[in-house]
Amino acid sequence: MSEPRRILLLMAEAGFGHRRAAQALAAALQQRYGDQCLVEIFNPLADERTIGLMRNTQTSYDQFVKQRPDLYRASFEFSDQTVP
């Protein structure tokens, strides 16, 4: 039997179900491929090796969305654009 494929799902605790989406993907991969894959969910923003400024972004995310919905909307629209 060959080695299982290793799959790394990156996510962040930035609200709106990112962890749940990663868990759903992991479950679907396991259901479809079983022992043929090893799925790991990892949050790089929670890792102690990540600089503090980056780690703090996910803890202040919900507060940012509530206090500055205008900036959130603008940043979302900017990040949702197709890169040429």
Side-chain angles (χ1 to χ4, degrees):
M1 181 173 206
S2 63
E3 289 286 318
R5 295 270 178 133
R6 295 174 53 109
I7 300 169
L8 177 62
L9 299 175
L10 299 175
M11 52 78 62
E13 299 289 350
F16 303 114
H18 294 96
R19 176 172 292 284
R20 291 287 190 196
Q23 290 170 332
L25 283 169
L29 288 164
Q30 287 291 286
Q31 181 179 11
R32 179 157 183 152
Y33 299 106
D35 292 339
Q36 296 176 27
C37 69
L38 294 173
V39 181
E40 180 182 351
I41 298 172
F42 181 70
N43 179 357
L45 295 178
D47 190 280
E48 63 186 28
R49 296 168 292 185
T50 302
I51 61 171
L53 179 64
M54 293 296 295
R55 283 197 316 264
N56 293 338
T57 59
Q58 64 183 355
T59 56
S60 59
Y61 182 81
D62 289 336
Q63 185 179 9
F64 170 69
V65 171
K66 291 175 186 173
Q67 291 180 352
R68 295 300 310 261
D70 54 331
L71 283 178
Y72 167 74
R73 186 177 308 106
S75 64
F76 177 81
E77 289 172 0
F78 177 76
S79 68
D80 201 35
Q81 293 180 16
T82 302
V83 178

